[in-house]
Amino acid sequence: KKKKKKFKALVTAGPTREYIDPVRFITNKSSGKQGYEIAKSFRDNGFETTLISGQSNLDPISGLNFIKIDTAQEMFDETIKNLPADVAVFTAAVADYKITNYENKKIKKENLNLSLEKNIDILANISKHNSLRPKLTIGFAAETNNLVKNSLKKLEEKNCDWIVANDVSDNSIGFDSDENQISIFYKDKKNENLKKMSKSLVASELVNRVIEKLN
Ligand code: CTP
């Protein structure tokens, strides 16, 4: 009897922290819930799954390769280490900037002067990588305005197969909420608007579409 091939999935989730000194950091708003639900759904569908998570209050998930990180650089390094995969979903709220000069002693408050530089774009790096790019590379777009335009721009600029977009200006969905309402933008310019539903159902809707695509 031939064993069905096991697909590999990688998910990034949660916020990253960019340290100013040992006690201070800048970060993004993100609970990690949607990414954790997606990783769970991959696991439950028999994928060999890696979840790379920033600092989040959610419990670790069993039955998959769970990796906790702090900074964007660490998230990038772990992503590289855990590829190749058949599908990667980048849900993490990566801090866009990091501090140019990390001070290894606590800075006194009189002298706090921040100099920032652009952080590494994990998704764009992977999606443009010749050998490590997953067959299905999926980005997220959290937008407060111009959702369609910004999502299509990210689809193109980050070389994604799909972009999953949600409107984070609506407090009943996104961030700490247990519900979400997503739109999926596909590379062929088609798009789908899903109804508002639990983040767990959003995850299975997405994973079902991934399975359909991979088979
Ligand atoms: N992303 C990433 N690494 C970064 C920034 C973003 O991997 N340094 C990924 C996110 O995980 C998400 C997608 O890129 O899948 C879009 O992230 P988003 O924060 O919406 O977009 P940005 O590229 O940061 O652009 P902007 O903040 O200008 O909207």
Side-chain angles (χ1 to χ4, degrees), residues 90-92 94-96 120-123 139-143 154 158:
F90 296 84
T91 76
V94 182
D96 287 313
I120 184 164
D121 191 316
I122 301 166
L123 167 57
F140 263 62
E143 306 293 346
K154 280 176 189 168
K158 298 192 188 229

Side-chain angles (χ1 to χ4, degrees), residues 153-171:
K153 190 163 174 260
K154 280 176 189 168
L155 184 69
E156 177 101 8
E157 286 179 355
K158 298 192 188 229
N159 194 33
C160 292
D161 297 292
W162 307 351
I163 283 280
V164 177
N166 61 336
D167 178 355
V168 292
S169 70
D170 179 344
N171 278 328

